[in-house]
Amino acid sequence: MPQDNKAFRLLRLLFFLSGSYPKTRKECTDFLNIRESAFYNYRNELIAIGFNLRQKDGKYWVEAEDKPTHILANLLHFSEEEAYVLAKSIDNIEGHMLPAKRLKQKLVAFLNQDKAIETYLEKEKPEMVSTLHKAIKNKKQVLLKNYASGNSQTIRNRRVEPFEFKDDFNLVWAYDTDVKLNRQFKICRMEDVLETPFCWEYERLHRSTPVDVFRNTGEPNKHVEFELNVRARNLLMEEYPLTEKYITEISKNHFLFKALVAKYEGPARFVLGMAEDICMVGDDGFRKFVKEKTNKCKHFL
C-alpha cells in the first residue's frame, strides 16, 4: 500500500509541517502512525534534502525563509487530500524510484523560486487577491467590502487581518477584528478588498482550523461510523479521497468507515444520498443528526 511506503510518509510529513501552525512531535507521530525514532529519521532527511525545518518549544515546522507565504501550502495549495492523491500517484509510477526522486527534487527546487508567488498572481489572479497578498506580506489589515456571508445571511463590510490563502486562492484565512475570531472568507463573496493603514493587532491569535476528510473546517471531535458495500465504498473514496485511510474490510465486499470529523453535515449528505448501500453504526450524535435531517425531508414527499 502507498501509505506504507517511506517516501509516501516523508512527503506527507513535509506537507503536514508546511501547514499554518507548528506541530508537536506527538502530533507528527500520530498523524503518520510511526514511532518516535522514525520521526527523528524523517526530520533529519528533510533537513538533509534542504528544507528549513525549524524547532522551538517542542514544536516543529517547515519554513520558507524571506518569503511572504509557505509556497507549498499557499502557492500549490496542497491540502492534505491533494497531498494524499499526489503521494499515491508518485508511488504508483512504473519503475517509480527514480521518477519519484526527481519529482521530489523538483519540489525542493521550486521552493527556492523567490518570485513564484508574484508571477502566479500577476498571470492568474484578480486584483482582490493581489491586495490580500500584499496585506499578508506587509502584515496589514484590509476592509472586505460588502462581504456576503452564508452563515449569518448578511452583507456588510468586514475589517480583517488576512494571513493565509487556501484552495488555489479561492479563499483566505483571516482574523475578523469585529467578532475576534479566525474565519475563512471566500474571494467570490467579496465585492472588493480595500487597503488600510492599520497593522496587524492580533497576530498571536492567527490560526487556520484543520479540515476533516469531508472538507469541513473545525476540530475533528465528532465520531462517525457506518458500514457500506462496494458501490458506496468506491463512491466515498472517489468523492473524498482521504476517507480511504479510515475504511476497513470486515467481510467479503463489506466495509466499515470509522473516523473523527469536524461536522456531521459532510458524512450525513453522503449517507443520505447512498442510504440503500449503507448501514448506520454510530455514534449516537451522528445517528440523531441524520434522523433529524430525514424528518425534515418529509415535506418533500
Side-chain angles (χ1 to χ4, degrees):
M1 292 294 291
Q3 54 265 40
D4 297 324
N5 182 279
K6 180 180 178 181
F8 175 88
R9 293 194 297 268
L10 188 64
L11 188 57
R12 287 191 69 211
L13 179 62
L14 171 61
F15 290 124
F16 190 56
L17 294 177
S18 299
S20 58
Y21 63 94
K23 313 294 193 304
T24 65
R25 182 189 67 248
K26 187 177 186 305
E27 285 180 305
C28 295
T29 55
D30 289 347
F31 177 71
L32 294 176
N33 192 25
I34 59 175
R35 297 178 180 177
E36 184 176 312
S37 58
F39 166 73
Y40 287 119
N41 289 335
Y42 294 161
R43 179 200 63 179
N44 293 338
E45 288 199 32
L46 288 176
I47 294 174
I49 290 171
F51 287 100
N52 184 19
L53 199 157
R54 307 292 298 277
Q55 175 186 359
K56 184 177 181 181
D57 299 329
K59 296 184 177 182
Y60 300 82
W61 69 97
V62 172
E63 184 173 276
E65 292 183 345
D66 300 323
K67 298 176 180 63
T69 54
H70 299 292
I71 292 183
L72 277 177
N74 296 330
L75 175 60
L76 295 179
H77 288 281
F78 285 140
S79 64
E80 167 63 9
E81 179 178 88
E82 293 164 336
Y84 182 78
V85 174
L86 174 61
K88 286 185 65 179
S89 300
I90 295 172
D91 190 67
N92 289 330
I93 296 174
E94 185 177 353
H96 69 280
M97 290 305 295
L98 183 57
K101 182 179 179 180
R102 288 175 177 170
L103 177 56
K104 282 178 285 191
Q105 290 173 340
K106 289 180 179 180
L107 288 173
V108 176
F110 190 75
L111 273 176
N112 294 323
Q113 297 183 19
D114 292 338
K115 299 299 180 181
I117 292 178
E118 287 78 3
T119 300
Y120 183 79
L121 287 174
E122 289 172 2
K123 292 182 178 180
E124 305 292 342
K125 294 300 171 179
E127 184 65 28
M128 287 190 293
V129 175
S130 296
T131 303
L132 288 166
H133 175 253
K134 181 179 178 182
I136 293 174
K137 178 180 179 180
N138 297 326
K139 297 186 176 184
K140 294 285 190 177
Q141 295 181 355
V142 297
L143 186 70
L144 306 183
K145 186 177 179 181
N146 292 333
Y147 183 80
S149 172
N151 292 327
S152 63
Q153 297 294 308
T154 60
I155 300 177
R156 64 181 180 85
N157 295 340
R158 311 269 185 134
R159 186 153 65 97
V160 303
E161 297 180 358
F163 58 88
E164 182 179 1
F165 284 111
K166 288 291 185 182
D167 190 26
D168 196 25
F169 294 92
N170 289 312
L171 61 83
V172 63
W173 272 101
Y175 187 84
D176 191 323
T177 61
D178 291 333
V179 298
K180 303 296 189 294
L181 289 173
N182 292 303
R183 289 183 169 177
Q184 284 185 348
F185 294 92
K186 293 187 176 181
I187 307 300
C188 64
R189 296 180 182 175
M190 304 173 188
E191 181 178 302
D192 199 1
V193 179
L194 306 178
E195 298 182 43
T196 77
F198 307 112
C199 296
W200 284 354
E201 297 179 25
Y202 307 97
E203 182 175 2
R204 68 189 184 283
L205 301 177
H206 291 182
R207 179 177 177 179
S208 59
T209 307
V211 178
D212 69 16
V213 295
F214 290 93
R215 308 186 190 106
N216 289 315
T217 301
E219 295 296 334
N221 54 14
K222 294 177 173 60
H223 178 77
V224 168
E225 186 174 352
F226 52 84
E227 297 177 8
L228 56 171
N229 61 19
V230 174
R231 178 171 177 266
R233 182 207 63 167
N234 291 345
L235 288 175
L236 181 62
M237 291 191 302
E238 289 170 7
E239 293 183 21
Y240 305 101
L242 283 182
T243 58
E244 180 181 355
K245 298 182 293 182
Y246 303 97
I247 298 174
T248 55
E249 186 170 12
I250 54 180
S251 63
K252 186 176 181 181
N253 298 331
H254 191 199
F255 305 87
L256 176 71
F257 172 79
K258 184 178 180 180
L260 292 174
V261 300
K263 298 176 182 177
Y264 287 138
E265 282 83 349
R269 282 194 295 268
F270 182 82
V271 167
L272 289 172
M274 301 289 297
E276 68 274 20
D277 300 297
I278 288 175
C279 178
M280 293 280 292
V281 178
D283 61 6
D284 291 340
F286 183 52
R287 293 172 65 89
K288 180 180 178 182
F289 183 89
V290 172
K291 185 176 181 179
E292 291 175 350
K293 289 293 183 182
T294 303
N295 290 336
K296 292 180 179 178
C297 290
K298 290 181 178 179
H299 71 279
F300 288 115
L301 302 176

PDB file of all heavy atoms in Angstrom, residues 23-46:
ATOM      1  N   LYS A  23       3.751  21.979  14.700  1.00  0.00           N
ATOM      2  CA  LYS A  23       3.203  20.739  15.223  1.00  0.00           C
ATOM      3  C   LYS A  23       4.158  20.138  16.254  1.00  0.00           C
ATOM      4  O   LYS A  23       5.380  20.275  16.143  1.00  0.00           O
ATOM      5  CB  LYS A  23       2.996  19.721  14.090  1.00  0.00           C
ATOM      6  CG  LYS A  23       2.298  20.253  12.847  1.00  0.00           C
ATOM      7  CD  LYS A  23       0.874  20.636  13.115  1.00  0.00           C
ATOM      8  CE  LYS A  23       0.075  20.869  11.830  1.00  0.00           C
ATOM      9  NZ  LYS A  23       0.641  21.868  10.915  1.00  0.00           N
ATOM     10  N   THR A  24       3.616  19.471  17.255  1.00  0.00           N
ATOM     11  CA  THR A  24       4.443  18.766  18.235  1.00  0.00           C
ATOM     12  C   THR A  24       4.907  17.440  17.648  1.00  0.00           C
ATOM     13  O   THR A  24       4.362  16.945  16.654  1.00  0.00           O
ATOM     14  CB  THR A  24       3.663  18.490  19.528  1.00  0.00           C
ATOM     15  OG1 THR A  24       2.580  17.590  19.241  1.00  0.00           O
ATOM     16  CG2 THR A  24       3.107  19.782  20.109  1.00  0.00           C
ATOM     17  N   ARG A  25       5.906  16.834  18.298  1.00  0.00           N
ATOM     18  CA  ARG A  25       6.386  15.527  17.854  1.00  0.00           C
ATOM     19  C   ARG A  25       5.259  14.501  17.903  1.00  0.00           C
ATOM     20  O   ARG A  25       5.098  13.679  17.003  1.00  0.00           O
ATOM     21  CB  ARG A  25       7.553  15.070  18.723  1.00  0.00           C
ATOM     22  CG  ARG A  25       8.152  13.728  18.289  1.00  0.00           C
ATOM     23  CD  ARG A  25       9.156  13.178  19.298  1.00  0.00           C
ATOM     24  NE  ARG A  25       8.475  12.822  20.539  1.00  0.00           N
ATOM     25  CZ  ARG A  25       8.642  13.460  21.697  1.00  0.00           C
ATOM     26  NH1 ARG A  25       9.456  14.506  21.758  1.00  0.00           N
ATOM     27  NH2 ARG A  25       7.998  13.067  22.781  1.00  0.00           N
ATOM     28  N   LYS A  26       4.456  14.551  18.964  1.00  0.00           N
ATOM     29  CA  LYS A  26       3.363  13.581  19.097  1.00  0.00           C
ATOM     30  C   LYS A  26       2.326  13.754  17.997  1.00  0.00           C
ATOM     31  O   LYS A  26       1.788  12.766  17.470  1.00  0.00           O
ATOM     32  CB  LYS A  26       2.681  13.723  20.464  1.00  0.00           C
ATOM     33  CG  LYS A  26       1.639  12.638  20.742  1.00  0.00           C
ATOM     34  CD  LYS A  26       1.049  12.767  22.135  1.00  0.00           C
ATOM     35  CE  LYS A  26       0.131  11.590  22.459  1.00  0.00           C
ATOM     36  NZ  LYS A  26      -0.929  11.389  21.464  1.00  0.00           N
ATOM     37  N   GLU A  27       2.028  15.005  17.628  1.00  0.00           N
ATOM     38  CA  GLU A  27       1.082  15.239  16.536  1.00  0.00           C
ATOM     39  C   GLU A  27       1.598  14.607  15.250  1.00  0.00           C
ATOM     40  O   GLU A  27       0.834  14.028  14.479  1.00  0.00           O
ATOM     41  CB  GLU A  27       0.861  16.737  16.340  1.00  0.00           C
ATOM     42  CG  GLU A  27      -0.022  17.387  17.385  1.00  0.00           C
ATOM     43  CD  GLU A  27      -0.200  18.877  17.146  1.00  0.00           C
ATOM     44  OE1 GLU A  27       0.820  19.588  17.053  1.00  0.00           O
ATOM     45  OE2 GLU A  27      -1.354  19.323  17.048  1.00  0.00           O
ATOM     46  N   CYS A  28       2.914  14.707  15.028  1.00  0.00           N
ATOM     47  CA  CYS A  28       3.507  14.140  13.811  1.00  0.00           C
ATOM     48  C   CYS A  28       3.477  12.616  13.833  1.00  0.00           C
ATOM     49  O   CYS A  28       3.129  11.986  12.826  1.00  0.00           O
ATOM     50  CB  CYS A  28       4.943  14.635  13.654  1.00  0.00           C
ATOM     51  SG  CYS A  28       5.100  16.412  13.367  1.00  0.00           S
ATOM     52  N   THR A  29       3.849  12.022  14.966  1.00  0.00           N
ATOM     53  CA  THR A  29       3.865  10.562  15.038  1.00  0.00           C
ATOM     54  C   THR A  29       2.452   9.994  14.961  1.00  0.00           C
ATOM     55  O   THR A  29       2.224   8.955  14.340  1.00  0.00           O
ATOM     56  CB  THR A  29       4.555  10.085  16.327  1.00  0.00           C
ATOM     57  OG1 THR A  29       3.916  10.695  17.470  1.00  0.00           O
ATOM     58  CG2 THR A  29       6.031  10.460  16.322  1.00  0.00           C
ATOM     59  N   ASP A  30       1.490  10.679  15.579  1.00  0.00           N
ATOM     60  CA  ASP A  30       0.091  10.228  15.495  1.00  0.00           C
ATOM     61  C   ASP A  30      -0.439  10.370  14.075  1.00  0.00           C
ATOM     62  O   ASP A  30      -1.171   9.507  13.583  1.00  0.00           O
ATOM     63  CB  ASP A  30      -0.784  11.026  16.455  1.00  0.00           C
ATOM     64  CG  ASP A  30      -0.522  10.684  17.916  1.00  0.00           C
ATOM     65  OD1 ASP A  30       0.152   9.666  18.159  1.00  0.00           O
ATOM     66  OD2 ASP A  30      -0.973  11.445  18.793  1.00  0.00           O
ATOM     67  N   PHE A  31      -0.067  11.465  13.421  1.00  0.00           N
ATOM     68  CA  PHE A  31      -0.541  11.731  12.066  1.00  0.00           C
ATOM     69  C   PHE A  31      -0.068  10.653  11.099  1.00  0.00           C
ATOM     70  O   PHE A  31      -0.822  10.197  10.230  1.00  0.00           O
ATOM     71  CB  PHE A  31      -0.033  13.104  11.622  1.00  0.00           C
ATOM     72  CG  PHE A  31      -0.378  13.476  10.208  1.00  0.00           C
ATOM     73  CD1 PHE A  31      -1.688  13.790   9.860  1.00  0.00           C
ATOM     74  CD2 PHE A  31       0.599  13.515   9.227  1.00  0.00           C
ATOM     75  CE1 PHE A  31      -2.012  14.140   8.556  1.00  0.00           C
ATOM     76  CE2 PHE A  31       0.284  13.866   7.926  1.00  0.00           C
ATOM     77  CZ  PHE A  31      -1.020  14.182   7.591  1.00  0.00           C
ATOM     78  N   LEU A  32       1.202  10.229  11.243  1.00  0.00           N
ATOM     79  CA  LEU A  32       1.776   9.239  10.334  1.00  0.00           C
ATOM     80  C   LEU A  32       1.707   7.816  10.875  1.00  0.00           C
ATOM     81  O   LEU A  32       2.043   6.870  10.162  1.00  0.00           O
ATOM     82  CB  LEU A  32       3.240   9.592  10.048  1.00  0.00           C
ATOM     83  CG  LEU A  32       3.500  10.888   9.278  1.00  0.00           C
ATOM     84  CD1 LEU A  32       4.996  11.143   9.170  1.00  0.00           C
ATOM     85  CD2 LEU A  32       2.878  10.832   7.898  1.00  0.00           C
ATOM     86  N   ASN A  33       1.299   7.699  12.155  1.00  0.00           N
ATOM     87  CA  ASN A  33       1.263   6.382  12.802  1.00  0.00           C
ATOM     88  C   ASN A  33       2.641   5.727  12.763  1.00  0.00           C
ATOM     89  O   ASN A  33       2.816   4.581  12.327  1.00  0.00           O
ATOM     90  CB  ASN A  33       0.221   5.481  12.134  1.00  0.00           C
ATOM     91  CG  ASN A  33      -0.063   4.221  12.950  1.00  0.00           C
ATOM     92  OD1 ASN A  33       0.119   4.208  14.168  1.00  0.00           O
ATOM     93  ND2 ASN A  33      -0.484   3.167  12.287  1.00  0.00           N
ATOM     94  N   ILE A  34       3.640   6.472  13.246  1.00  0.00           N
ATOM     95  CA  ILE A  34       5.015   5.975  13.261  1.00  0.00           C
ATOM     96  C   ILE A  34       5.593   6.105  14.662  1.00  0.00           C
ATOM     97  O   ILE A  34       5.021   6.761  15.528  1.00  0.00           O
ATOM     98  CB  ILE A  34       5.909   6.764  12.276  1.00  0.00           C
ATOM     99  CG1 ILE A  34       5.905   8.257  12.639  1.00  0.00           C
ATOM    100  CG2 ILE A  34       5.462   6.537  10.846  1.00  0.00           C
ATOM    101  CD1 ILE A  34       6.863   9.097  11.804  1.00  0.00           C
ATOM    102  N   ARG A  35       6.724   5.467  14.868  1.00  0.00           N
ATOM    103  CA  ARG A  35       7.404   5.557  16.151  1.00  0.00           C
ATOM    104  C   ARG A  35       8.193   6.866  16.252  1.00  0.00           C
ATOM    105  O   ARG A  35       8.492   7.502  15.254  1.00  0.00           O
ATOM    106  CB  ARG A  35       8.351   4.364  16.343  1.00  0.00           C
ATOM    107  CG  ARG A  35       7.641   3.014  16.379  1.00  0.00           C
ATOM    108  CD  ARG A  35       8.649   1.891  16.519  1.00  0.00           C
ATOM    109  NE  ARG A  35       7.994   0.583  16.561  1.00  0.00           N
ATOM    110  CZ  ARG A  35       8.637  -0.570  16.627  1.00  0.00           C
ATOM    111  NH1 ARG A  35       9.985  -0.576  16.636  1.00  0.00           N
ATOM    112  NH2 ARG A  35       7.974  -1.710  16.666  1.00  0.00           N
ATOM    113  N   GLU A  36       8.579   7.195  17.470  1.00  0.00           N
ATOM    114  CA  GLU A  36       9.334   8.424  17.698  1.00  0.00           C
ATOM    115  C   GLU A  36      10.663   8.401  16.962  1.00  0.00           C
ATOM    116  O   GLU A  36      11.097   9.400  16.396  1.00  0.00           O
ATOM    117  CB  GLU A  36       9.553   8.605  19.204  1.00  0.00           C
ATOM    118  CG  GLU A  36      10.243   9.900  19.569  1.00  0.00           C
ATOM    119  CD  GLU A  36      10.349  10.081  21.076  1.00  0.00           C
ATOM    120  OE1 GLU A  36       9.321   9.898  21.764  1.00  0.00           O
ATOM    121  OE2 GLU A  36      11.447  10.399  21.555  1.00  0.00           O
ATOM    122  N   SER A  37      11.327   7.245  16.940  1.00  0.00           N
ATOM    123  CA  SER A  37      12.621   7.132  16.260  1.00  0.00           C
ATOM    124  C   SER A  37      12.480   7.388  14.764  1.00  0.00           C
ATOM    125  O   SER A  37      13.340   8.012  14.144  1.00  0.00           O
ATOM    126  CB  SER A  37      13.231   5.749  16.505  1.00  0.00           C
ATOM    127  OG  SER A  37      12.356   4.732  16.048  1.00  0.00           O
ATOM    128  N   ALA A  38      11.371   6.909  14.167  1.00  0.00           N
ATOM    129  CA  ALA A  38      11.142   7.135  12.741  1.00  0.00           C
ATOM    130  C   ALA A  38      10.932   8.613  12.458  1.00  0.00           C
ATOM    131  O   ALA A  38      11.387   9.139  11.432  1.00  0.00           O
ATOM    132  CB  ALA A  38       9.937   6.327  12.269  1.00  0.00           C
ATOM    133  N   PHE A  39      10.230   9.299  13.378  1.00  0.00           N
ATOM    134  CA  PHE A  39      10.020  10.735  13.191  1.00  0.00           C
ATOM    135  C   PHE A  39      11.348  11.472  13.116  1.00  0.00           C
ATOM    136  O   PHE A  39      11.538  12.324  12.244  1.00  0.00           O
ATOM    137  CB  PHE A  39       9.188  11.312  14.330  1.00  0.00           C
ATOM    138  CG  PHE A  39       9.211  12.812  14.393  1.00  0.00           C
ATOM    139  CD1 PHE A  39       8.523  13.578  13.468  1.00  0.00           C
ATOM    140  CD2 PHE A  39       9.979  13.460  15.361  1.00  0.00           C
ATOM    141  CE1 PHE A  39       8.568  14.964  13.509  1.00  0.00           C
ATOM    142  CE2 PHE A  39      10.025  14.840  15.409  1.00  0.00           C
ATOM    143  CZ  PHE A  39       9.321  15.598  14.481  1.00  0.00           C
ATOM    144  N   TYR A  40      12.288  11.145  14.012  1.00  0.00           N
ATOM    145  CA  TYR A  40      13.581  11.826  14.002  1.00  0.00           C
ATOM    146  C   TYR A  40      14.361  11.502  12.724  1.00  0.00           C
ATOM    147  O   TYR A  40      15.079  12.356  12.194  1.00  0.00           O
ATOM    148  CB  TYR A  40      14.385  11.440  15.242  1.00  0.00           C
ATOM    149  CG  TYR A  40      13.854  12.062  16.508  1.00  0.00           C
ATOM    150  CD1 TYR A  40      13.387  11.279  17.560  1.00  0.00           C
ATOM    151  CD2 TYR A  40      13.802  13.441  16.653  1.00  0.00           C
ATOM    152  CE1 TYR A  40      12.887  11.854  18.723  1.00  0.00           C
ATOM    153  CE2 TYR A  40      13.307  14.030  17.813  1.00  0.00           C
ATOM    154  CZ  TYR A  40      12.854  13.222  18.844  1.00  0.00           C
ATOM    155  OH  TYR A  40      12.352  13.805  19.991  1.00  0.00           O
ATOM    156  N   ASN A  41      14.212  10.282  12.217  1.00  0.00           N
ATOM    157  CA  ASN A  41      14.869   9.938  10.949  1.00  0.00           C
ATOM    158  C   ASN A  41      14.310  10.771   9.810  1.00  0.00           C
ATOM    159  O   ASN A  41      15.049  11.293   8.969  1.00  0.00           O
ATOM    160  CB  ASN A  41      14.683   8.452  10.652  1.00  0.00           C
ATOM    161  CG  ASN A  41      15.495   7.562  11.582  1.00  0.00           C
ATOM    162  OD1 ASN A  41      16.504   7.984  12.130  1.00  0.00           O
ATOM    163  ND2 ASN A  41      15.051   6.324  11.755  1.00  0.00           N
ATOM    164  N   TYR A  42      12.983  10.910   9.758  1.00  0.00           N
ATOM    165  CA  TYR A  42      12.347  11.715   8.716  1.00  0.00           C
ATOM    166  C   TYR A  42      12.737  13.185   8.855  1.00  0.00           C
ATOM    167  O   TYR A  42      12.964  13.875   7.858  1.00  0.00           O
ATOM    168  CB  TYR A  42      10.832  11.566   8.774  1.00  0.00           C
ATOM    169  CG  TYR A  42      10.330  10.188   8.430  1.00  0.00           C
ATOM    170  CD1 TYR A  42       9.067   9.779   8.811  1.00  0.00           C
ATOM    171  CD2 TYR A  42      11.122   9.289   7.723  1.00  0.00           C
ATOM    172  CE1 TYR A  42       8.591   8.512   8.500  1.00  0.00           C
ATOM    173  CE2 TYR A  42      10.668   8.029   7.408  1.00  0.00           C
ATOM    174  CZ  TYR A  42       9.405   7.635   7.791  1.00  0.00           C
ATOM    175  OH  TYR A  42       8.939   6.394   7.482  1.00  0.00           O
ATOM    176  N   ARG A  43      12.773  13.661  10.088  1.00  0.00           N
ATOM    177  CA  ARG A  43      13.175  15.049  10.318  1.00  0.00           C
ATOM    178  C   ARG A  43      14.572  15.290   9.768  1.00  0.00           C
ATOM    179  O   ARG A  43      14.823  16.295   9.065  1.00  0.00           O
ATOM    180  CB  ARG A  43      13.148  15.346  11.822  1.00  0.00           C
ATOM    181  CG  ARG A  43      13.583  16.757  12.190  1.00  0.00           C
ATOM    182  CD  ARG A  43      14.015  16.857  13.640  1.00  0.00           C
ATOM    183  NE  ARG A  43      15.187  16.017  13.903  1.00  0.00           N
ATOM    184  CZ  ARG A  43      15.784  15.933  15.092  1.00  0.00           C
ATOM    185  NH1 ARG A  43      15.308  16.611  16.117  1.00  0.00           N
ATOM    186  NH2 ARG A  43      16.840  15.154  15.256  1.00  0.00           N
ATOM    187  N   ASN A  44      15.496  14.377  10.053  1.00  0.00           N
ATOM    188  CA  ASN A  44      16.877  14.528   9.582  1.00  0.00           C
ATOM    189  C   ASN A  44      16.957  14.468   8.063  1.00  0.00           C
ATOM    190  O   ASN A  44      17.758  15.182   7.444  1.00  0.00           O
ATOM    191  CB  ASN A  44      17.759  13.447  10.203  1.00  0.00           C
ATOM    192  CG  ASN A  44      17.904  13.614  11.707  1.00  0.00           C
ATOM    193  OD1 ASN A  44      17.707  14.703  12.240  1.00  0.00           O
ATOM    194  ND2 ASN A  44      18.231  12.536  12.400  1.00  0.00           N
ATOM    195  N   GLU A  45      16.112  13.634   7.442  1.00  0.00           N
ATOM    196  CA  GLU A  45      16.121  13.539   5.982  1.00  0.00           C
ATOM    197  C   GLU A  45      15.624  14.833   5.344  1.00  0.00           C
ATOM    198  O   GLU A  45      16.178  15.287   4.340  1.00  0.00           O
ATOM    199  CB  GLU A  45      15.261  12.357   5.528  1.00  0.00           C
ATOM    200  CG  GLU A  45      15.905  11.009   5.812  1.00  0.00           C
ATOM    201  CD  GLU A  45      15.293   9.898   4.975  1.00  0.00           C
ATOM    202  OE1 GLU A  45      14.876  10.168   3.839  1.00  0.00           O
ATOM    203  OE2 GLU A  45      15.223   8.765   5.486  1.00  0.00           O
ATOM    204  N   LEU A  46      14.582  15.430   5.908  1.00  0.00           N
ATOM    205  CA  LEU A  46      14.081  16.697   5.372  1.00  0.00           C
ATOM    206  C   LEU A  46      15.149  17.782   5.469  1.00  0.00           C
ATOM    207  O   LEU A  46      15.313  18.584   4.554  1.00  0.00           O
ATOM    208  CB  LEU A  46      12.820  17.125   6.121  1.00  0.00           C
ATOM    209  CG  LEU A  46      11.557  16.315   5.837  1.00  0.00           C
ATOM    210  CD1 LEU A  46      10.411  16.799   6.727  1.00  0.00           C
ATOM    211  CD2 LEU A  46      11.164  16.420   4.373  1.00  0.00           C
TER     212      LEU A  46
END
